[in-house]
Amino acid sequence: MDKIAMHGTGSQVETSQWPLPESGRRVVIPPALVTELAAHPLCRDCLPHGAGFYPSAAGHQMDRGAPRDHLLIYCLAGSGEAELEGRRQSVGAGDVLLFREGRPHRYRANPDDPWTIYWAHLGGDRVDDYFDAVLDGPDAFVAPVGRHPRLTEDLDALLATVTRFRGHHLIYAANLLKSLLSYMALMRRQREDRNDALDVARVQAWLRARLHQRVDLNTLVTATSDLSRYHFIRAYKRQTGQTPMQAFQHLKISRACYLLDITDLSVVDIAQQLGFDDPYYFSRMFKKVMGMAPRDYRREHLAGGQLPT
């Protein structure tokens, strides 16, 4: 097992002894250089310690009981399995494995369908934040990001850059690694949105057609999807950042602003048009969203004042 301590950084590169074929690559950055760059403002939040490419890695396996750095593995082809603190999960093409420092883990290629992988050991103050952007939570360690030429090209570039062992090359490598993780997070979320069973546009259209009504969540779920109430709320919030009822509230207030702008309707009449039996409750909700009462909104707008954004 190859080990190179990173003195002064509290980390350690620990690569497997998998026999490297002619087309494979394995690079470990010298410890002194990692120590120097760990204090650099452009590197200290996320810095590679080593990187590699293992094609058709039959027999590749690793078991780390107390890893002293973070690890990224991107599966380009084939399959394998990974385990984090006793929780096992299969890994296939397009999946990324993200292991955090200090957490025992193991992984291996499928003997019948060995994976082809890129990997990078890394450290830094913000690696956990980058991992959080890709994964579903602190206990997750596998994410389906898909196979993308951009990822392969950037991982090839990362390998070519870290091989140079020069400060300015490694500064670029550090920022390339951050870009890679950010791109993986973007691809993960876009993949979820494309595969999501919830049609948010349909939900929004249904809500807009009922701004004059009071709508309960169960009716909304039944009318616009086949999901359970729990999964409906979860999918809607993931795609919009709001709960369905928060969105409906904001649609109503947006409509109220329009009516205040173009009509002489009273606040009581507008509240009734938007399904509010209690105009005082409507005014409180309006102020919560817009930062001012409906009458103040109309007065400022008519006076040409600056409205809140």
Side-chain angles (χ1 to χ4, degrees):
M1 190 176 297
D2 308 322
K3 294 185 180 180
I4 299 184
M6 298 300 181
H7 302 294
T9 67
S11 61
Q12 183 181 57
V13 172
E14 183 183 353
T15 66
S16 70
Q17 291 184 320
W18 186 71
L20 202 62
E22 185 175 350
S23 58
R25 303 185 69 184
R26 180 163 51 220
V27 181
V28 175
I29 301 171
L33 192 51
V34 170
T35 300
E36 177 184 344
L37 291 171
H40 195 287
L42 297 180
C43 300
R44 60 189 174 208
D45 54 348
C46 186
L47 174 69
H49 294 169
F53 172 67
Y54 292 171
S56 300
H60 176 235
Q61 58 184 336
M62 195 65 188
D63 185 347
R64 294 186 176 88
R68 298 182 62 190
D69 63 1
H70 305 274
L71 175 62
L72 175 158
I73 296 176
Y74 176 60
C75 182
L76 185 63
S79 61
E81 65 177 15
E83 184 178 319
L84 175 68
E85 297 171 344
R87 291 177 291 113
R88 186 174 299 175
Q89 194 163 338
S90 60
V91 180
D95 289 343
V96 61
L97 277 165
L98 297 174
F99 292 118
R100 303 173 196 259
E101 67 175 325
R103 303 190 67 176
H105 60 259
R106 64 179 64 183
Y107 50 86
R108 72 183 187 102
N110 184 339
D112 301 318
D113 181 29
W115 58 23
T116 292
I117 60 170
Y118 288 90
W119 57 265
H121 287 263
L122 58 156
D125 299 336
R126 305 301 297 271
V127 175
D128 274 327
D129 294 326
Y130 284 103
F131 280 16
D132 286 343
V134 180
L135 299 169
D136 283 334
D139 293 324
F141 59 100
V142 180
V145 299
R147 289 182 286 184
H148 304 281
R150 160 76 185 276
L151 288 176
T152 305
E153 291 167 5
D154 283 356
L155 285 161
D156 282 334
L158 178 69
L159 263 169
T161 306
V162 297
T163 306
R164 303 299 295 273
F165 294 161
R166 294 180 180 176
H168 53 280
H169 285 94
L170 292 176
I171 290 172
Y172 172 71
N175 286 277
L176 184 57
L177 185 56
K178 287 183 275 189
S179 176
L180 268 165
L181 285 164
S182 299
Y183 187 73
M184 285 179 172
L186 176 62
M187 292 300 99
R188 168 75 194 279
R189 303 311 166 189
Q190 286 191 344
R191 183 185 179 95
E192 286 181 345
D193 290 347
R194 285 193 297 268
N195 294 334
D196 211 312
L198 181 65
D199 185 345
V200 169
R202 179 186 178 190
V203 176
Q204 297 297 90
W206 193 91
L207 289 174
R208 287 184 184 278
R210 290 160 179 80
L211 292 179
H212 61 289
Q213 299 177 9
R214 297 175 63 183
V215 172
D216 67 85
L217 183 59
N218 288 335
T219 301
L220 173 63
V221 172
T222 302
T224 60
S225 81
D226 296 322
L227 300 176
S228 68
R229 177 184 171 119
Y230 169 80
H231 286 101
F232 181 95
I233 296 172
R234 186 170 182 267
Y236 189 92
K237 190 170 185 179
R238 183 172 63 242
Q239 293 192 48
T240 68
Q242 297 177 303
T243 67
M245 291 299 98
Q246 286 173 336
F248 192 41
Q249 179 187 90
H250 287 179
L251 287 172
K252 283 177 176 282
I253 298 305
S254 178
R255 177 66 177 174
C257 289
Y258 175 72
L259 294 174
L260 288 166
D261 287 342
I262 70 165
T263 74
D264 293 326
L265 289 171
S266 69
V267 172
V268 172
D269 288 339
I270 291 174
Q272 289 178 344
Q273 281 201 18
L274 294 172
F276 292 95
D277 296 332
D278 183 351
Y280 296 103
Y281 175 72
F282 164 72
S283 294
R284 289 196 301 272
M285 181 184 293
F286 188 100
K287 187 173 183 179
K288 181 180 179 181
V289 175
M290 298 301 297
M292 62 178 67
R295 289 185 176 84
D296 295 333
Y297 173 94
R298 173 174 273 168
R299 188 181 306 114
E300 283 204 18
H301 186 63
L302 291 175
Q306 179 66 43
L307 297 180
T309 58

